[in-house]
Amino acid sequence: MPKSAPDSPANGDPPTDTGRPLHTDDLLKLITRLGKEQQYQLRQIEVTRSLDTEYHISALRGLVDRYRYRLSAKSVGTVKQVGDGVAIVSGLSGVMADELILFPDGTYGLALDLDQDYVGCVLLGTDENIHAGDIVTETGRVIDVPVGEQLLGRVVNALGRPIDELGPLEAEMRRPIDHPAPTFIQRTPVGEPLQTGIKTIDSVIPLGRGQRELIIGDRQIGKTAIAVDSVINQRNQGVYCIYVCIGQKLSTVAQIVETFREHDALEYTTVVVAGAEEPSAMAYLAPYAGCAMAEAFMYAGRHTLIVYDDLSKHAIAYRQLSLLLQRPAGREAYPGDVFYLHSRLLERSARLSAAYGAGSMTALPIIETQAGNISAYIPTNLISITDGQIYLTTQLFTQGVHPAIDIGLSVSRVGGAAQNHAMRAVSRHLALDIAQFLELQIFARFGTELDRETRKQLTRGERVRAILTQPQYEPMPVAHQVAVIYAAGQGYLDDVPIKQVHPFEAHLLSFLQQQYSGLLAEFSTGHWNAQLEQDLQTALDRFKEHVWHR
């Protein structure tokens, strides 16, 4: 592509100091107007529009040298249609999928549709200054984001650019946002627990490093709270966290960031934001950008936790882009590849084998349901992709059960393999006990006179359920969980009034920390045997006899 120089040609010639690149069509018009000076040579170029022979090239070079143009070959295209954050571009025959395309105003676009006659681009910015007929150029660069420890403690957008007013990033490494998932050979079975600090999850629905566990439920019932608590609990655990906010209000994002800062979690966390006011393309890119950042740690042998909050808005953004790009609509107007949209994202989470660094990436995707409908299109897609789901219900939330996790509909397909030995021992029958309690509770509503054993089972079930409720932003160490769950399951709380369950828990943990810190240390490492169980029983008996007098 020729570029103008500061000098101007003779009268009547096109100006050469416009400061903008000249398209091939512009060059041909220039050749036509200057044809009088080199009639024969230039007539051949104008008629044939061919630069195939050395004869034609030398004629053109002579013209360029005379008027001080500099030739540079670039692949360019022309905007044919633009609007709603999407541009249809002709030309660009060599463009790659997911390649960045540069528009005249400096805005970048992402090549999503590669048709034989056109390229469908989504704009990564506003389209106010882009018009039909504008010249666009290839960059030869597939979209990527900065990665590395320099991003920890920062808030960035979907392109990896900082938006927290803390100065520029100094990341030296970059990584494509789309990357093949680890192969079967590179993976190893999930077997190391990732503690969330939430008693219900760590005891009944355990997570392992490298697992993908879906958090699903209606809006405003605590899905984000579970994810935030899980991030806070990774402090001093050697786990880096990436929190991706998709389509969230900036006020909500600011609240999440401030919560991380208050609990000293921001120092090992990167927050990736695609706000509700940003183009749909940014919401589409955000989870892949966050995944690339977490993936860099995984392949470096580190452990990471990534939260996608939430993929419902991600699917909606992709549906908007697909409809604007005139892709065929399928069920609920989603394109046919919406399943692939999320599967290729979540399949990148894995636990790598020792030969590949033994790193891991654990994913907590969040999905929003409408009126508890988990059989809708996107929820069923995510359920089939992930390794289990944590299902929250509005009914439990309104009853004051926080987190409002329905243990009957929640499942972890990794199971006890993702628990340490102590937690597995004390929670082995917990899910069954709670299920039996719920059935008895329904039966008791009929007012039937209950026998002593049934009343005892109801009393214990109420205490177990009460001990599993937990305030927000207060994740609990696994050793503390082992102690209180064992106490509730073995009947040490049966004579404690329901309103006194949490004071009992707080006093018990304080007592154990002061008098039996060595026992808690054993539970932290996962040790459990008959002697440790006997020591815990002794501690609980002593607490009930000498400390708890209420």
Side-chain angles (χ1 to χ4, degrees):
M1 180 185 295
K3 186 177 181 180
S4 58
D7 294 343
S8 299
N11 293 335
D13 292 336
T16 62
D17 58 351
T18 59
R20 67 179 181 85
L22 293 179
H23 190 263
T24 306
D25 293 339
D26 298 326
L27 178 60
L28 292 174
K29 292 179 182 178
L30 179 62
I31 291 173
T32 302
R33 297 184 61 177
L34 297 176
K36 294 180 181 180
E37 299 183 9
Q38 297 182 352
Q39 293 182 1
Y40 177 73
Q41 297 93 331
L42 299 179
R43 189 179 303 117
Q44 297 300 314
I45 299 175
E46 182 181 359
V47 171
T48 64
R49 295 199 176 200
S50 173
L51 300 178
D52 293 338
T53 67
E54 183 178 355
Y55 179 76
H56 294 144
I57 293 175
S58 62
L60 181 59
R61 184 177 291 113
L63 177 65
V64 170
D65 292 342
R66 178 173 179 181
Y67 289 97
R68 301 182 184 180
Y69 279 85
R70 178 173 57 83
L71 287 178
S72 61
K74 290 185 178 179
S75 178
V76 299
T78 305
V79 177
K80 295 300 183 184
Q81 179 182 337
V82 63
D84 297 319
V86 169
I88 305 299
V89 179
S90 64
L92 302 180
S93 58
V95 71
M96 300 179 288
D98 289 340
E99 181 178 342
L100 290 173
I101 297 172
L102 182 62
F103 288 82
D105 66 341
T107 300
Y108 282 98
L110 183 67
L112 278 189
D113 273 2
L114 305 185
D115 194 86
Q116 184 175 359
D117 301 317
Y118 66 88
V119 176
C121 305
V122 294
L123 302 178
L124 305 180
T126 179
D127 58 6
E128 292 180 358
N129 299 318
I130 300 175
H131 308 283
D134 285 349
I135 304 301
V136 298
T137 59
E138 295 181 14
T139 64
R141 174 183 147 208
V142 175
I143 186 168
D144 55 15
V145 291
V147 298
E149 294 188 12
Q150 293 83 358
L151 276 78
L152 298 177
R154 302 300 302 269
V155 182
V156 299
N157 66 8
L159 301 178
R161 297 170 182 166
I163 57 175
D164 53 7
E165 299 180 354
L166 295 179
L169 285 172
E170 299 179 358
E172 299 178 356
M173 298 185 296
R174 300 186 71 88
R175 186 177 183 85
I177 67 168
D178 214 348
H179 188 269
T183 63
F184 177 79
I185 299 299
Q186 293 175 289
R187 298 173 184 256
T188 192
V190 174
E192 185 179 356
L194 184 135
Q195 306 293 344
T196 65
I198 300 172
K199 288 174 283 187
T200 306
I201 296 176
D202 292 341
S203 61
V204 182
I205 323 160
L207 297 183
R209 293 183 177 181
Q211 188 174 346
R212 304 154 301 173
E213 186 79 3
L214 179 66
I215 302 175
I216 183 171
D218 291 356
R219 64 186 305 271
Q220 297 294 326
I221 59 173
K223 300 186 299 297
T224 296
I226 289 177
V228 170
D229 283 357
S230 300
V231 171
I232 292 174
N233 196 57
Q234 303 314 309
R235 185 181 180 189
N236 300 324
Q237 301 294 320
V239 178
Y240 297 120
C241 300
I242 310 293
Y243 198 101
V244 186
C245 298
I246 308 168
Q248 305 283 354
K249 295 183 295 183
L250 290 184
S251 59
T252 303
V253 175
Q255 184 178 359
I256 293 173
V257 173
E258 188 59 31
T259 300
F260 288 155
R261 184 175 287 111
E262 290 176 359
H263 293 84
D264 298 325
L266 197 58
E267 60 189 34
Y268 54 83
T269 303
T270 301
V271 181
V272 182
V273 180
E277 74 288 346
E278 294 189 60
S280 298
M282 300 296 275
Y284 162 69
L285 292 176
Y288 296 104
C291 187
M293 297 172 189
E295 208 170 38
F297 290 122
M298 178 180 70
Y299 283 109
R302 312 287 185 84
H303 299 289
T304 62
L305 169 66
I306 183 166
V307 177
Y308 303 109
D309 189 8
D310 64 78
L311 292 186
S312 299
K313 297 182 178 67
H314 182 234
I316 291 172
Y318 186 64
R319 176 172 63 183
Q320 292 174 349
L321 293 177
S322 299
L323 293 176
L324 290 171
L325 290 170
Q326 301 179 4
R327 293 179 177 177
R331 176 178 168 184
E332 299 180 25
Y334 288 104
D337 63 342
V338 71
F339 182 91
Y340 176 64
L341 174 78
H342 290 147
S343 65
R344 82 176 196 262
L345 172 68
L346 295 173
E347 286 294 334
R348 292 162 70 177
S349 299
R351 176 67 189 271
L352 299 182
S353 63
Y356 293 90
S360 71
M361 176 165 61
T362 308
L364 287 179
I366 297 175
I367 205 77
E368 183 179 301
T369 56
Q370 304 291 331
N373 183 17
I374 61 175
S375 62
Y377 186 31
I378 300 301
T380 51
N381 280 353
L382 268 297
I383 289 172
S384 62
I385 294 169
T386 50
D387 305 314
Q389 67 272 356
I390 300 170
Y391 181 53
L392 289 79
T393 65
T394 305
Q395 181 181 5
L396 291 175
F397 185 82
T398 55
Q399 290 175 1
V401 179
H402 300 159
I405 298 175
D406 188 325
I407 295 176
L409 292 177
S410 301
V411 65
S412 172
R413 297 189 179 97
V414 176
Q419 288 177 310
N420 69 33
H421 189 51
M423 176 61 81
R424 191 183 315 132
V426 302
S427 63
R428 184 180 296 118
H429 305 295
L430 190 58
L432 180 60
D433 291 343
I434 294 176
Q436 291 176 342
F437 159 71
L438 294 176
E439 282 194 16
L440 286 175
Q441 194 178 44
I442 295 174
F443 180 73
R445 290 175 185 171
F446 293 104
T448 308
E449 186 175 345
L450 303 175
D451 60 83
R452 181 178 179 182
E453 190 63 29
T454 302
R455 289 198 302 270
K456 180 180 178 181
Q457 195 170 353
L458 281 171
T459 298
R460 183 166 300 179
E462 289 175 349
R463 271 68 180 171
V464 170
R465 193 169 183 181
I467 207 71
L468 292 179
T469 61
Q470 192 169 345
Q472 191 175 356
Y473 309 137
E474 294 184 14
M476 181 178 290
V478 62
H480 294 184
Q481 295 184 40
V482 169
V484 298
I485 290 173
Y486 183 85
Q490 296 300 314
Y492 286 93
L493 280 78
D494 287 358
D495 58 348
V496 177
I498 285 292
K499 293 183 179 180
Q500 295 296 319
V501 166
H502 288 292
F504 179 95
E505 176 186 26
H507 283 81
L508 173 61
L509 294 177
S510 177
F511 171 76
L512 292 176
Q513 284 179 300
Q514 294 175 7
Q515 305 292 330
Y516 292 88
S517 57
L519 187 62
L520 293 179
E522 293 284 350
F523 296 155
S524 294
T525 56
H527 294 162
W528 183 266
N529 53 45
Q531 183 58 51
L532 290 175
E533 182 177 6
Q534 181 61 46
D535 292 344
L536 180 56
Q537 290 177 353
T538 302
L540 292 171
D541 290 336
R542 184 180 171 192
F543 173 76
K544 287 288 296 279
E545 183 178 352
H546 300 290
V547 178
W548 183 257
H549 300 295
R550 302 188 184 187

